């Protein structure tokens, strides 16, 4: 029986090719993901370990701690005196202090080089030999004074800078010019991620980022033969409670774990889409083995007649599946390694630098690839094998197939209905639960999809029958026959449509959610923002220096300026801090549109507070009420409520006060952004005026209303395009499934097609019949997917609407129309080979086929 199985594998190479492709694509996705993440993670871990070479002990400062009253106590970092005491230890060979922070480098035109969040500044620390072991200079030297800097190689290249040039560098204040003293290479992870690194001399870096005489961290190397753990024990008593000491080995291990944890989310996302592809592949494999078994019905019956029992027949089919699964998985594993290499190269092409390192193909990856591929193939082939074994030899010899009994159909529909009802109830329950209902919706979506897949045979007949008159009217006999053929074997039609339905359910849900959130953000910008420019730091977590406000106010053409200053306060006797926005009362009305429910926003100038409507209702506040506030410095104040306004989440905090009031209770103003209104509106001249007012600071960005829309829309569109690309693998497998179904349909109807040709149906109409059948099946699956995807998107949106301002469900009918059109095109393309095969059948030979 095993030899028979092997012979059958080789005898049906064309049919099995599609199954092999489905398994190869799915396994390649899985193994490629594992190889890629293992390779990148290993390279980054090696890079991190390399940066700690020679470091016996590392000390990191937490900064000053806060007492029970919230007041900072202690030193800003590790003092020079502590560093000197560490250097004096017997086993210490060398010790250096490090300082780091944000630094933006402008190119020749003053524009920011590198990604804002990864642009850093640090100090150059020459040891006894005059070199800093962290940086390798190939041109010039490290900075030797307050007016000098050094740049990493890539930043110098992008800025077209050479040693001796003047370079504009900024933190969160005005930009300054420095002389470029040297260019270096580094294994710094932020630089490899596309950022920039500026080296200052130590006093300058301390002045910029911490305080004179203090460091963020210490790097200590040990003398030959010294024990790192013993040295660590000697250092710990010297550093105080606000710092942490680790050996270099411990720090490298911690960094490696952090890198591994960071790769986990990417790994999980990619594997999710890979498993979706394999799940879709199950339907294709099922159809393939159903077709192969149908072609060999008489052969299997003859085996039964000469003594083979049911178990042997079933094992024979499963043995075929095993061979196909092993071969496909092996090919998929090799393809996955190639895919991982391609993904690594693609990331480099998009500017993401990945450290050099060997390709990692772990034993677990090999086992997972082979195991998953074989399991999926065997699982999909099990039902056809079981069904084949149950066919009576006499019935099979007569080419009769075991029909589905009424009992089996009732049972199938009952199970499908139960799953679907359970899933729909879970989705509705999750939608009504609110922000905590996402897990319930996810589970409900899974059960609903399974239920609908089970019910598809029952659904296919009435749906396709409904469109039959239209097909007959437009395409004549070919359309009528196509509709009849599509419902002739509803189970096979359902299996084929299911693969497309799964893919389009996910695509539609993602599209509806993405477009809806994009529209909400666009409305928020359009409805609330009246300012011409939003001024902010290039690094998203940075804050603007207070000197920016008067500088912008004095710029030519500026009509109004207000900060968006962040702060916190406690209300009543509560311990929980609430966010508060500090603004300029005289200007904010010209910059933001407030939908005032009661009171006047002008009351902010009197030291009163404006409260968002939802917050006011929950706190029982109204205009004229007194808000008992406790600020960050633990100072208390009674603030009169002067206005209640509609919530502006994403733009303002639920409490708004004069920024000068907030200044009195904050150690340093936390100005997240500044809104600016110009006399003539936004223009190149107006923007240049603002740029010049801030000294052409490369660390500061100027965004118009359209820039804000484009930024958020770009993020959403990029995310959607990535998701579409990842789901593309599943859709490709769906296309193979349509090809398979049509090929099987043509095989089963060979005699019928011959008869149709004999009574006058020409080749063109035969092709049209097959094409229309494919389009009908594809559109049937697409309709199911679009409806279910839209419903799931609505439910997920209900959990998000409380946290997204102006959220309202938007159904992108244009994209849905494109999805339906593409589904039809997919059907037409998938039908090309089966249609051509059907049209080329010799009618006399076909008529004689049993």
């Amino acid at each position: 029986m095993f030899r028979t199985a092997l012979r059958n594998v080789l005898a049906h190479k064309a049919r099995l090719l599609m199954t092999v492709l489905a398994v190869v694509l799915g396994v390649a996705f899985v193994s490629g993901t594992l190889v890629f993440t293992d390779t990148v993670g290993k390279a980054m871990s090696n890079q991190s370990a390399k940066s700690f070479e020679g470091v016996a002990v590392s000390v990191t400062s937490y900064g000053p701690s806060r007492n029970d009253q919230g007041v900072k106590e202690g030193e800003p970092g590790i003092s020079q005196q502590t560093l000197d005491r560490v250097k004096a230890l017997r086993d210490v060979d060398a010790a250096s202090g490090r300082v780091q922070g944000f630094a933006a480098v402008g190119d020749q035109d003053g524009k920011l080089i590198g990604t804002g969040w990864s642009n850093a500044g640090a100090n150059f620390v020459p040891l006894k030999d005059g070199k800093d072991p962290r940086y390798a200079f190939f041109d010039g030297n490290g900075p030797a004074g307050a007016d000098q800097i050094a740049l990493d190689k890539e930043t110098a290249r992008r800025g077209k800078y050479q040693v001796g040039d003047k370079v504009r560098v900024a933190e969160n204040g005005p930009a300054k010019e420095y002389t470029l003293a040297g260019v270096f290479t580094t294994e710094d992870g932020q630089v490899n991620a596309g950022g920039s690194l500026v080296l200052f001399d130590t006093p300058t870096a301390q002045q910029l980022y911490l305080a004179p005489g203090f460091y963020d961290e210490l790097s200590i190397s040990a003398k030959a033969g010294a024990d790192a753990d013993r040295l660590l024990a000697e250092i710990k008593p010297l550093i105080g409670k606000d710092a942490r000491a680790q050996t270099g080995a411990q720090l490298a291990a911690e960094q490696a774990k952090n890198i591994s944890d960071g790769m986990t989310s990417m790994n999980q996302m990619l594997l999710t889409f890979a498993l979706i592809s394999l799940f879709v592949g199950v339907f294709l494999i099922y159809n393939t083995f159903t077709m192969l078994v149908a072609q060999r019905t008489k052969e299997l019956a003859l085996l039964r007649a000469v003594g083979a029992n049911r178990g042997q027949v079933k094992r024979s089919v499963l043995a075929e599946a095993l061979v196909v699964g092993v071969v496909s998985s092996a090919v998929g594993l090799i393809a996955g390694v190639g895919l991982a290499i391609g993904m690594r190269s693609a990331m480099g092409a998009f500017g993401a630098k990945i450290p050099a390192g060997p390709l990692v193909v772990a034993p677990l990856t090999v086992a997972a690839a082979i195991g998953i591929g074989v399991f999926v193939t065997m699982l999909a082939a099990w039902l056809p094998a079981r069904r084949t074994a149950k066919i009576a030899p006499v019935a099979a010899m007569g080419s009769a197939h075991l029909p589905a009994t009424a009992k089996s159909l009732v049972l199938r529909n009952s199970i499908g209905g139960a799953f679907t009802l359970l899933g729909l109830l879970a989705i509705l329950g999750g939608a009504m639960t609110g922000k905590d209902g996402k897990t319930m919706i996810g589970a409900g979506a899974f059960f609903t999809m399974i239920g609908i897949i089970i019910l598809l045979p029952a659904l296919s007949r009435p749906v396709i029958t409904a469109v039959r008159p239209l097909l007959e009217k437009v395409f004549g006999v070919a359309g009528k026959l196509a509709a009849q053929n599509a419902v002739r074997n509803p189970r096979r039609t359902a299996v084929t449509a299911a693969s497309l339905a799964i893919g389009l359910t996910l695509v539609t849900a993602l599209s509806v959610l993405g477009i809806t959130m994009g529209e909400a953000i666009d409305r928020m910008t359009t409805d609330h923002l009246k300012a011409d420019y939003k001024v902010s730091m290039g690094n998203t977590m940075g804050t603007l220096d207070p000197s920016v406000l008067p500088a912008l106010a004095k710029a030519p053409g500026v009509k109004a300026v207000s900060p968006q200053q962040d702060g916190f306060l406690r209300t009543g006797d509560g311990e929980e801090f609430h966010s508060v926005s500090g603004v300029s009362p005289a200007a904010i009305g010209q910059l933001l549109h407030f939908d005032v429910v009661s009171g006047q926003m002008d009351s902010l100038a009197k030291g009163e507070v404006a409260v968002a409507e939802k917050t006011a209702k929950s706190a029982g506040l109204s205009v004229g009420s007194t808000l008992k506030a406790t600020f960050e410095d633990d100072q208390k104040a009674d603030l009169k409520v002067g206005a209640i306004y509609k919530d502006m989440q994403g733009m303002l905090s639920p409490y708004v006060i004069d920024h000068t009031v907030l200044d009195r209770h904050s150690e340093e103003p936390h100005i997240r952004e500044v809104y600016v209104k110009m006399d003539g509106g936004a223009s190149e001249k107006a923007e240049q005026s603002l740029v010049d007012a801030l000294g052409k600071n490369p660390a500061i960005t100027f965004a118009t209303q359209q820039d804000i829309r484009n930024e958020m829309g770009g993020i959403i569109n990029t995310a959607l395009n990535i998701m579409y690309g990842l789901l593309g693998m599943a859709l490709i497998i769906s296309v193979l499934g349509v090809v398979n179904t049509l090929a099987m349909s043509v095989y089963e109807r060979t005699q019928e097609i011959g008869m149709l040709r004999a009574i006058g149906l020409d080749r063109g109409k035969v092709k049209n019949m097959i094409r229309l059948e494919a389009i009908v099946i594809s559109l049937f699956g697409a309709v199911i997917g679009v409806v279910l995807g839209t419903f799931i998107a609505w439910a997920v949106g209900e959990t998000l609407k409380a946290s997204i301002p102006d959220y309202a469900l938007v159904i992108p009918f244009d994209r849905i129309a494109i999805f339906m059109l593409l589904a039809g095109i997919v059907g037409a393309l998938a039908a090309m080979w089966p249609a051509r095969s059907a049209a080329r059948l010799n009618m006399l030979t076909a008529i004689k086929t049993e």
Side-chain angles (χ1 to χ4, degrees), residues 279 419 423 427 441-451 792:
F279 183 61
F419 268 91
I427 292 173
I441 291 173
F446 175 77
F447 281 110
T448 302
M449 196 171 292
I450 295 298
I792 293 171

Side-chain angles (χ1 to χ4, degrees), residues 263-275:
M263 297 297 294
T264 298
S265 57
M266 178 192 292
N267 200 0
Q268 289 175 344
M269 181 186 73
L270 293 174
L271 283 177
T272 297
F273 286 97
L275 293 176

